[in-house]
Amino acid sequence: MMSLLYNLFEDKLEMDHREPFPIFSLNQTTLPTFLRGNDEDDDNMISVGVVTPVGTFYAQLLFLIIVQRIIAAFCSILIYNYIIVNSRHPQKTMSTTASFLIGFGVILPIMLQSPFWFVNVLDIRSKAMRLLLLSLPLTGTLRLLEAFFGFTPQEASSSLQNYMVYFTTLVDVEFDSKTQKPIYATSQDLMLLSKQCFLSSLKLVVALCIFAPMSYTPFETGVLAHSTNHTFADIWSWMHILNNFVAATILSFSLEFGSNNINLLIEITTGIKTKQMVNNPMFASTSVSDFWGSRWNNLIHVALKRGVYKPVRKYCNKRSIAAAATFLASGILHEYCWGLLFYVHDNEKDYESGFCSNCVYPHYGKNVIFFGWNGVLIVFEYLLSQFYFVRKIRTKLPNIIITAMVLITALPIGHLFTGDWVAAGYYEQIQMAFPMFII
């Protein structure tokens, strides 16, 4: 069994070595400068080819999806029986202390450590695969918190079967508030989700084809995006801001593609209707709270709201403190993500120095700064919204201007979040999942 797994993960999917199949030729003089070849022929013609997706990418992806769901199912049974049921009938079951020990001494370590176990045993180096492995510790940790503090949705906690559906899918599924049963997807729902999958894949492929020749950094700034050496002038350089915009946009496209296709897989295999996770944050956000609360990652937003915001609000009754705590928790969770995404396997290290010369060693703490700043923006937005003239201006400005204003509040320091993704080759690695035109 293990030999089969080692063979499956033998391809590390770190570098795109696909050879394009030539399909037609173009005159270089008709192309933008950045797309022209380095060695021009006498007739200035260059070949345009196409590459097909790497099958191993999807084979590894499917295996990790299945295994994660199995671990999630096991955790959901423990959470339901020892935390949710216990909170309803404390006089009939174990003490709150025992529930706490099971939840945070057994279940939480399983969820947080299992991704590192897979990375170590199977030597998983692809950032895309490691990102998938993060779905359980991120969603699962927050759902453990919401269960412990009593904020699990009523429909999900009404039965063990419902809770296993809710927890194991690792996405947001829809329940009927009257029957307290999962809502099943209709043929129209499947058609709509299939359309969303196609459009999200099309957007991502187009973006990858455009920016791959530029290594996903279209503008030269003189400062590495993942460094911490940016001056005030550097972060307000239009080239720096546009690089951050490109990186954030492709990242949002990849999250949208991945979440839509996992939703489709769940709806096809289980029939249960799912909720959209990413909703065009880079081009349709109307406020900072709209960006983070309704568009960037609805799954984690809702989980943070139930697992962090509501418990803090319950005990301190201060909206600003609860919001700040939520963004702080988000920053800490993303630091954990960085620990797995940029974890250096022993096989990657030089035997003598113990150092990997080709690996990215990120500066930790950047995510706490980035998400902390966005938490400040949320509070500031709330305070400004109390003024009539601010509300009036929002109704008069075109949506595209409002979205640009929202993005400019975070893009100057967006490299704190996206810089490491670019440096570590995440975008080059995910492009192996798609057909692409190569010049």
Side-chain angles (χ1 to χ4, degrees), residues 286-288 377-398 402 405-406:
T286 58
S287 66
V288 178
L377 291 176
I378 293 285
V379 175
F380 192 57
E381 174 191 295
Y382 171 73
L383 295 176
L384 284 179
S385 66
Q386 309 301 313
F387 296 97
Y388 171 78
F389 76 91
V390 174
R391 298 195 299 270
K392 191 68 175 178
I393 290 175
R394 288 183 59 181
T395 61
K396 297 296 183 181
L397 290 175
I402 294 177
M405 293 173 65
V406 170

Side-chain angles (χ1 to χ4, degrees), residues 51-320:
V51 292
T52 58
V54 178
T56 309
F57 186 99
Y58 288 101
Q60 293 183 10
L61 206 68
L62 182 60
F63 170 78
L64 293 177
I65 288 174
I66 293 172
V67 171
Q68 275 218 314
R69 268 54 186 180
I70 294 173
I71 298 174
F74 172 73
C75 292
S76 69
I77 294 173
L78 293 180
I79 293 173
Y80 183 82
N81 285 309
Y82 294 105
I83 296 179
I84 293 178
V85 173
N86 183 65
S87 65
R88 291 175 180 169
H89 308 288
Q91 71 280 9
K92 298 178 182 179
T93 56
M94 64 184 66
S95 67
T96 302
T97 302
S99 294
F100 178 87
L101 291 175
I102 291 175
F104 297 95
V106 177
I107 302 172
L108 185 61
I110 290 175
M111 293 190 294
L112 294 180
Q113 287 297 322
S114 60
F116 286 94
W117 185 86
F118 283 108
V119 168
N120 273 312
V121 173
L122 300 176
D123 192 7
I124 299 174
R125 302 183 193 179
S126 167
K127 299 297 182 291
M129 300 305 148
R130 292 187 179 190
L131 182 63
L132 175 67
L133 285 171
L134 286 167
S135 57
L136 174 59
L138 285 181
T139 308
T141 297
L142 294 171
R143 289 184 174 174
L144 170 63
L145 287 171
E146 70 181 24
F148 188 79
F149 290 106
F151 290 103
T152 301
Q154 183 179 354
E155 298 85 0
S157 62
S158 61
S159 69
L160 174 59
Q161 181 180 354
N162 277 11
Y163 191 73
M164 288 185 68
V165 169
Y166 170 73
F167 194 96
T168 305
T169 54
L170 297 176
V171 299
D172 267 336
V173 296
E174 295 195 26
F175 288 91
D176 189 316
S177 59
K178 294 182 179 179
T179 64
Q180 295 194 339
K181 298 291 185 181
I183 297 175
Y184 288 90
T186 63
S187 57
Q188 290 84 358
D189 293 327
L190 288 172
M191 288 294 294
L192 177 60
L193 184 53
S194 298
K195 179 182 178 181
Q196 291 174 346
C197 288
F198 172 76
L199 293 176
S200 61
S201 63
L202 182 61
K203 289 190 299 184
L204 181 55
V205 168
V206 170
L208 293 174
C209 289
I210 292 174
F211 294 104
M214 297 169 272
S215 299
Y216 302 99
T217 308
F219 302 100
E220 179 60 46
T221 62
V223 183
L224 295 175
H226 67 293
S227 74
T228 56
N229 299 324
H230 293 77
T231 65
F232 184 80
D234 290 331
I235 66 174
W236 284 104
S237 162
W238 66 269
M239 293 182 290
H240 169 79
I241 290 174
L242 288 178
N243 281 344
N244 288 347
F245 175 78
V246 168
T249 298
I250 299 178
L251 181 59
S252 74
F253 285 171
S254 70
L255 293 176
E256 182 180 358
F257 168 82
S259 60
N260 283 345
N261 280 273
I262 287 178
N263 283 355
L264 182 61
L265 179 63
I266 289 172
E267 291 194 6
I268 291 174
T269 55
T270 68
I272 298 173
K273 188 176 181 180
T274 58
K275 296 180 182 179
Q276 188 176 18
M277 176 175 152
V278 181
N279 185 19
N280 198 19
M282 301 300 294
F283 298 95
S285 297
T286 58
S287 66
V288 178
S289 56
D290 179 52
F291 182 97
W292 293 112
S294 303
R295 297 187 179 276
W296 179 261
N297 189 333
N298 292 332
L299 173 66
I300 296 300
H301 163 73
V302 172
L304 280 167
K305 185 175 182 179
R306 294 179 185 142
V308 180
Y309 181 86
K310 285 186 176 181
V312 174
R313 187 78 185 272
K314 176 182 177 181
Y315 289 104
C316 76
N317 200 29
K318 293 286 187 179
R319 179 175 178 176
S320 58

Side-chain angles (χ1 to χ4, degrees), residues 27-59:
N27 192 313
Q28 293 197 71
T29 59
T30 64
L31 297 175
T33 304
F34 65 84
L35 290 178
R36 297 177 185 176
N38 294 325
D39 299 319
E40 297 187 4
D41 299 327
D42 293 337
D43 57 0
N44 288 325
M45 300 301 291
I46 60 172
S47 176
V48 178
V50 65
V51 292
T52 58
V54 178
T56 309
F57 186 99
Y58 288 101

